[in-house]
Amino acid sequence: MAEVFLGTIRGAEGFSRPVAIKRIQPAMSATPAFASMFVNEARLASLLHHPNVVGVLDFDRDEQGSFFLVMEL
């Protein structure tokens, strides 16, 4: 249903931070109900702040229109 990748956020002056990127598989992106659940997951997860819960750093669409979450690693 989703894939998780290792990524890196890069910023000014050599700043970098490892992150996890969760992306809906392309076949599932075409299903409106599943895409809606992923949006709700992102919305709810971004509200949670606890040491045992991974924080959401970003939520967007890629060039193909698939949603993805950028999370703490």
Side-chain angles (χ1 to χ4, degrees), residues 15-61:
F15 172 85
S16 68
R17 178 179 180 182
V19 294
I21 302 167
K22 182 178 180 181
R23 181 181 73 112
I24 297 178
Q25 291 181 344
M28 298 305 286
S29 281
T31 307
F34 188 81
S36 177
M37 287 190 297
F38 196 73
V39 170
N40 286 333
E41 175 185 347
R43 196 172 284 130
L44 291 172
S46 71
L47 298 174
L48 299 174
H49 301 285
H50 188 277
N52 296 332
V53 177
V54 174
V56 173
L57 304 174
D58 197 7
F59 177 69
D60 207 346
R61 289 183 186 260

Side-chain angles (χ1 to χ4, degrees), residues 4-8 18-21 73:
V4 178
F5 301 94
L6 176 63
T8 304
V19 294
I21 302 167
L73 184 63

